[in-house]
């Protein structure tokens, strides 16, 4: 079992149990086998295979299984039962399987409902594109289901170079012709590419609930309360939105079991206003980050089995000094 290697930069060297230090359990051959099962045998049969897979990782998942148990204890407020632990891992396995269908543009009996769609459509009307900030909660790929209703919608994923290479390998193994556009940050031309993508009315998604080693001068880590204990969050995605002067919207695709997904959109911030000084911009960035973390915590409590960060999410915060909030804008 593996979680997506995506997230913003701006973190100190990871703690021993950080997600970047964990060996990937799945490999390309396994992913290609999953693709074959999904496309050849069909979704009903493929879902039957998930039951023994989830049971195996519950029993032998090592660090990931322990992280799942510890997270559930935190969000539920008590030690989880074995059934609850199994359900958590099975939810993750089911969303990995369904990526094949989403990336192929074939819903195959998957029912996707929409919440906050009016806010999403309104944000697209100005033709300036927007950034969608998500998390390792549910399925970001479920966004592609909107493409069946909104022809011409262009979606790209934004991530850093090493992550882009790994996720491209993963997607190539799952869906060779999936057509997911990836913008790899780290070079000057990448920023120009992202700006052009947005200027053409496209949307670009980032997952903002992980941090990477290698500090960035343009982003900072913040220790924010999350499920009862401080956790480290980077403000990098929001500083990027402020630099590009774009709207920011929270997006998630919650998995509700079987073939049911719920796409949810919530406005986070609007950085299109020009003329704001550095202090006002810092305050706006931190307000957006705090809103994001509050939304994320609310989703975890509402739908706890959709959280797919299988590592000690709170460990990195111990290395981050507490930063005083910027002064409020005049």
């Amino acid at each position: 079992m593996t979680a997506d290697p995506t997230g913003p930069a701006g973190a100190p060297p990871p703690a021993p149990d950080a997600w970047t230090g964990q060996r990937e359990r799945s490999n390309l051959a396994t992913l290609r086998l999953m693709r074959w099962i999904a496309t050849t045998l069909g979704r009903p049969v493929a879902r039957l295979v998930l039951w023994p897979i989830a049971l195996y990782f519950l029993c032998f998942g090592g660090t990931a299984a322990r992280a799942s148990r510890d997270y559930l204890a935190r969000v539920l407020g008590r030690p989880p039962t074995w059934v609850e632990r199994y359900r958590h891992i099975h939810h993750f396995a089911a969303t990995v399987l369904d990526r094949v269908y989403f990336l192929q543009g074939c819903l195959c009996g998957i029912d996707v409902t929409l919440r906050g769609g009016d806010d999403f459509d309104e944000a697209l009307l100005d033709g300036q594109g927007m950034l969608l900030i998500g998390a390792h909660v549910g399925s970001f790929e479920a966004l592609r289901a909107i493409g069946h209703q909104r022809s011409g919608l262009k979606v790209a994923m934004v991530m850093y170079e090493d992550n882009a290479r790994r996720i491209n390998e993963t997607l190539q193994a799952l869906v060779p012709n999936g057509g997911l556009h990836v913008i790899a940050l780290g070079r000057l031309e990448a920023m120009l590419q992202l700006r052009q993508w947005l200027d053409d009315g496209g949307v670009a998604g980032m997952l903002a609930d992980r941090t990477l080693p290698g500090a960035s001068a343009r982003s900072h880590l913040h220790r924010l309360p999350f499920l009862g204990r401080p956790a480290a969050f980077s403000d990098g995605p929001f500083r990027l939105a402020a630099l590009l002067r774009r709207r920011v919207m929270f997006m998630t695709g919650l998995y509700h079991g079987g073939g049911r997904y719920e796409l949810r959109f919530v406005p986070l911030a609007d950085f299109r206003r020009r003329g704001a000084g550095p202090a006002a911009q810092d305050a706006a960035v931190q307000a957006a980050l705090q809103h994001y973390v509050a939304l994320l915590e609310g989703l975890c409590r509402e739908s706890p089995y959709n959280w797919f960060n299988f590592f000690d999410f709170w460990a990195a915060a111990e290395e981050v000094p507490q930063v005083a909030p910027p002064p409020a804008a005049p």
Side-chain angles (χ1 to χ4, degrees), residues 98-112 114 120 141-155 263:
D98 286 341
R99 286 179 191 171
V100 175
Y101 305 111
F102 284 127
L103 291 170
Q104 288 183 333
C106 172
L107 296 185
C108 300
I110 300 174
D111 179 37
V112 181
L114 190 61
F120 179 78
E141 286 82 2
L143 175 64
R144 293 171 71 88
I146 290 187
H148 296 279
Q149 306 169 1
R150 294 160 175 78
S151 60
L153 177 65
K154 302 195 308 176
V155 181
L263 277 177

Side-chain angles (χ1 to χ4, degrees), residues 154 190-202 246:
K154 302 195 308 176
M191 288 294 294
L192 299 176
Q193 181 184 4
L194 176 57
R195 185 184 295 275
Q196 186 62 54
W197 182 270
L198 296 172
D199 286 344
D200 290 341
R246 306 290 168 162

Side-chain angles (χ1 to χ4, degrees), residues 215-240:
S216 170
R218 291 187 175 178
S219 63
H220 307 283
L221 284 181
H222 300 265
R223 295 174 65 233
L224 297 175
F226 183 68
L227 297 178
R229 181 179 165 191
F233 290 90
S234 171
D235 61 14
F238 302 98
R239 291 193 179 276
L240 178 63

Side-chain angles (χ1 to χ4, degrees), residues 21-257:
Q22 293 184 17
R23 174 178 294 182
E24 300 290 342
R25 287 185 170 271
S26 63
N27 53 42
L28 298 183
T30 303
L31 292 172
R32 292 190 181 102
L33 175 61
M34 177 180 290
R35 181 191 72 205
W36 182 87
I37 293 173
T39 57
T40 305
L41 303 181
R43 188 171 183 269
V45 175
R47 282 183 57 83
L48 293 177
V49 179
L50 298 182
W51 293 96
I53 290 176
L55 181 61
Y56 172 85
F57 281 105
L58 175 62
C59 298
F60 305 106
T63 301
R66 289 192 297 272
S68 168
R69 177 200 61 200
D70 295 343
Y71 155 76
L72 288 174
R74 185 175 300 279
V75 73
L76 297 176
R78 55 171 173 77
T81 66
W82 279 89
V83 172
E84 289 166 334
R85 294 177 61 189
Y86 179 83
R87 185 180 180 188
H88 187 204
I89 295 173
H90 188 274
H91 266 51
F92 174 66
T95 61
V96 172
L97 171 66
D98 286 341
R99 286 179 191 171
V100 175
Y101 305 111
F102 284 127
L103 291 170
Q104 288 183 333
C106 172
L107 296 185
C108 300
I110 300 174
D111 179 37
V112 181
T113 59
L114 190 61
R115 180 172 170 183
D118 291 342
D119 292 326
F120 179 78
D121 290 336
E122 180 183 351
L124 289 175
L125 287 178
D126 62 8
Q128 297 182 29
M130 65 176 144
L131 286 173
L132 298 177
I133 305 296
H136 291 79
V137 172
S139 172
F140 193 91
E141 286 82 2
L143 175 64
R144 293 171 71 88
I146 290 187
H148 296 279
Q149 306 169 1
R150 294 160 175 78
S151 60
L153 177 65
K154 302 195 308 176
V155 181
M157 282 298 295
V158 181
M159 58 194 70
Y160 288 84
E161 289 182 285
D162 185 55
N163 299 36
R165 176 186 57 77
R166 287 186 286 172
I167 196 65
N168 273 326
E169 291 176 351
T170 302
L171 294 174
Q172 184 68 18
L174 281 173
V175 184
N177 300 310
L180 179 63
H181 187 72
V182 176
I183 298 175
L185 296 180
R187 294 172 294 181
L188 177 60
E189 57 266 30
M191 288 294 294
L192 299 176
Q193 181 184 4
L194 176 57
R195 185 184 295 275
Q196 186 62 54
W197 182 270
L198 296 172
D199 286 344
D200 290 341
V203 298
M206 298 185 72
L207 304 181
D209 58 333
R210 292 187 183 173
T211 56
L212 289 173
S216 170
R218 291 187 175 178
S219 63
H220 307 283
L221 284 181
H222 300 265
R223 295 174 65 233
L224 297 175
F226 183 68
L227 297 178
R229 181 179 165 191
F233 290 90
S234 171
D235 61 14
F238 302 98
R239 291 193 179 276
L240 178 63
L243 178 65
L244 295 173
R245 300 187 184 279
R246 306 290 168 162
R247 290 178 187 254
V248 182
M249 183 165 286
F250 179 85
M251 178 270 167
T252 188
L254 295 176
Y255 174 64
H256 293 312

